[in-house]
Amino acid sequence: MKVDTQQGFADGTATAVAGSNEFPVKMDGKNVNVFYGDKQAIFDVNLEIRERQVTALIGPSGCGKSTYLRCLNRMNDTIESCRVTGLITMDGEDIYDPSIDVVELRARVGMVFQKPNPFPKSIFENVSYGPRIHGLARSKADLEALVEQSLRGAGLWDEVKDRLQEPGTGLSGGQQQRLCIARAIAVSPEVILMDEPCSALDPIATAIVEELIDELRQNYTIAIVTHSMQQAARVSQRTAMFHLGELVEVDDTETMFTNPSEKRTQDYITGRFG
Amino acid sequence: MSATTIIAIVLVIGAVGYLAGAARARMVVGGETAKLHSRPGYYGSFILIWATLPALLLLVAWSSFAPVLIDNQVRDTIPESVRAEQSATQQDLSINIVEAIAEGLRLLDERELQQATAGFVLLRPLLADKGVALAGNGEDWMIASAQQLNALRDTNIIWKSIAVIGLSIVGFTAGLLQIRAQLRARNRVEGVIHAGLVLASTVAILTTVGIVLSMISETGRFFSSVPPQEFFFGTVWDPRFANAEDPDAAGQFGLIPLLAGTLYIAFVAMLVAVPIGLFAAIYMAEYASSRFRSIAKPLLEVLAGIPTIVYGFFALVTVGPFLRDLSGQIAGIATGEVSSFISATSVLTAGLVMGIMLVPFVSSLSDDIISAVPRSMRDGSLGLGATRSETVKRVILPAALPGVVGALLMTASRAIGETMIVVMAAGVAARLSINPFEPMTTVTVKIVSQLTGDLEFTSPQTLVAFALGLTLFFITLALNVYALYIVRKYREQYE
Amino acid sequence: MTDASLTPATTATGTRSHTRDIGLKARYAAERRFRAYGLAAVALGLFFLFLLLGSVIAQGYTAFWQTSIQLDIEFDEEVIDPDGNRDSDRMVLLTANYPLLAQRALHEKLGVDPDDRAARRDANSLLSQGVRTQLRDIVVSDPSIIGTTRTVWVLAHGDIDSAAKGQFDLTVEESRRRVNDRQLGYMQTLEEAGVMEGRFNTGLFTFGASSRPETAGMGVAIIGSFYMMAIVLVLALPIGVAASIYLEEFAPKNRLTDIIEVNINNLAAVPSIVYGLLGLAVFINFAGLPRSAAVVGGLVLTLMTLPTIIIATRAALKAVPPSIRAAALGVGASKMQMVFHHVLPLAAPGILTGTIIGLATALGETAPLLLIGMVAFVADYPATPFDPSTALPVQIYMWSGQAERAFVERTSGAIIILLLFLAVMNITAIILRRRFERRW
């Protein structure tokens, strides 16, 4: 189904958050379809991600929200049977264009995964991995500064500064996830994709990570997939609702949670399914 | 009655017992089988076990002990005079002749038998006529012994048959008498099956015990004639054949040159197999499309299914001569004089071919281990914009390293224990050398060459094979235990 | 990527990223190199496979044809039984001068001058020594043939066979060749007359050991290997399955079962030659079983195959989901009934596959058999597993030590047959797995 709400809500709703149009479009998907072999997972989705905002993708499990997210930095390329059609642009450029380099794209669009997945290396090496492969640091001091800056950015510096050489796998779940975020921002991406980053964490760790996401909004464009509506409400400025591979509705988060225009969104928000 | 017939009879009794047991169980409850503790079939099996198991055990025990007893009795018939002059080995030979005569006597008819018992001179042509050839010259006393042997054997068979079949019938009856509705026939039968299962699982232990004990005892005998330090630290391998007159010619049994050859060839083989196998595994796990993988992987694994004798032949007929001729050509170009510097059998030939054999081991073991690295590791690295090769080199391989090392140790243990390729392609000269173009020999080659041909199990020349085997066993065992330990640790990390 | 495509909306962050250099060119070159190494490794592995199979097939396919000569042989009573007492003495027919019959027929066909001894000798050596037994068997099986003339295909000598297959370099000086010019002339005559040709080599499958290539075959080895495989199947399958059932379903988790488990894994990695030493020490020296007999080989291979079968069976049993076990126990089945009625049938395809693969390994195993004396020259078929015999791979080993070109060909032919056996077994295993594999 086609969703043409973008024009609709821009003038219709006056919300506490700044109007969506104040933020330029960073990434834009048009008529995106995704197939796994013969099975279609995403149907004709049009969704834009705006700069320096947190866009939340919500919906019941298996609705295709993660799949859409993985299209944005072409992680789906790693799945052999996966096929993507439609147009996805970043700053107006087609990211599936043959001239686009997937490595460079991923350096610009970083990703944080559902389960914390630190490499079985030291904390320092985890964070410095990206800068090293991309050659971003000119000297060792540079690299150390970059690691510190990234860990600070992820709010982890104070906790790990004395044990940078210890394995990253030895940290607690929430620290591991923040380590993965530090690893992602060390590459200085423009967009950070987060695929249910708190689903494996306890409530306290979740709260810390959510706070972090809110801070990261100052410098990065963020798209986050989440299972929890409360989380979407807490961290995001815009929310897109997916169901069965279709985009049901997209709107400013507050509008979405107070005054959804679609019945399925209402049902989901009020806990009728999910 | 032969053992086969006895077994057949016992089995028939057992089969009858099965039917009788089931029928009796039904009868006890007047056809209402629901009142029985177990299904009637279990009562049948219960009788079957009672009727066959004790009887067959008795048969086995009887058949293993009776020949020893008979042999002793026949030995007692050797006249004092003979016993005084003959050595133990000579007596063994005489007993063999007695046995042959005993076989022969059975072929004679009444009239011939009368004639034959008169003396060996008359017996021999009679036996020859029946196609019985005797190993040595017989003496007259042997005829009486042979006759006694036959008599003993006949009595033995009669008593054996009576005892075994009797026990079978007793078991049958005893079982039948026990049948009542409350009898927990199923539990009893399952108990026997359970015991059978336990017994089967101890075979593995017994095999190990057998390997270790048999080799240790033979090795012990070897060390009683050659001191262990000469074996383990000797640098000369020259096991001359035993020569009683010249004690200096006892031969030298130095392990070092054999071990050096073994390790050298295994090293060359790993040098070939590890890069090819590892890169193939990486390609299969990380790059190949599933179509390519589904074709190339089984094809590579065909290499692992080819018997080593085929590799040996390949080395002997194709690779060896090829390397020899090639080296001749190279020498021809370099010096103008065509002389091969690689022998047809050499460390290089054996190592190269063994390396080919090991490629699929390295690749499939490494493929498993690389694939066991969780997908999230790959995603994490790719998501940061790493290329595939960067992901492999910097994340996957370091993560998989312990597992890969374990796999390589297992492969090395295989290389060390490999026999046929080195027998056919490495050469037989035990030398200490660092030139890979020359033949060297290995532990396994020497085990084979010391134990083929005519053997005498008392000389150090043959017993040394067991000492070599024991060394080989412990080297490979140590490698494998360590490798399994590493791999297990590695798997736990991701489970 | 070009900056020209940027839209005016692009912000500072966007431009920053576009201009930064992340060394893509060098990194992609490294990527391509790495990928090429991988592909080269796979290609090299496959190249070795084809080289190995190719060289064996190229050297061996000719072994399935054997040069034979068609002769009109007169079974002359004067030669076979000059004294006429074959009815009273059966040795007469067994020891008669049969080669003479074939030689006469050959001389006639070639028109050899009976007085030219050199020519006669050259002609005679066209024939295989196997002619004696071939004709003897014909006469012994039907003595009434004596006095008649029959057309018989007899084997040519191994060297003639090699020459006919073009395996000799005929440019070599005559005196250093195994076939001289006159014999080549004879061969041409016979070929033109259509009485010498390559016929399908049934002897390769039926003959026993022989020092002459043309009469050497794998009959004894095939029977010996068959006996051994039967013994392995009969012993290793039930013992292996029983042991696995105990370890997987019944055994308590304690020290002893731990030891058994580690033990089995290690036994699977013990070099096969050690099993040969075990067989020699235990079965031959201690238990007194005969050397060179298939029964000892079978027992040794059984012990060698057991760990493979146990490991495969345990994997198959493990793959049966616990829910099946719970369901069986839930309706009141005993544990034994649960295993034999439900778990074992479900695991059967996996067990069978593992067994077939174990058997295939055992069939190709050579080293332990060398130690228990199966390297024997056995010309007669073994009637029971207790008689001396050889095995397929051992036969290959023995032939590979022979110098004649014709033996290289036969060795390769024997390898082809062995590989065919193995291929059939492995393909059966694959089909079984494909057909019955169940994913839970």
Side-chain angles (χ1 to χ4, degrees), chain C residues 255-277:
Chain C
R255 271 299 266 286
L256 184 70
T257 47
D258 259 7
I259 291 175
I260 295 181
E261 194 159 350
V262 172
N263 213 309
I264 289 170
N265 282 331
N266 284 324
L267 277 182
V270 169
S272 60
I273 193 163
V274 172
Y275 285 96
L277 289 170

Side-chain angles (χ1 to χ4, degrees), chain B residues 342-363:
Chain B
I342 304 180
S343 350
T345 57
S346 67
V347 171
L348 184 66
T349 310
L352 185 65
V353 175
M354 198 192 282
I356 296 175
M357 181 194 84
L358 295 176
V359 164
F361 286 101
V362 176
S363 74

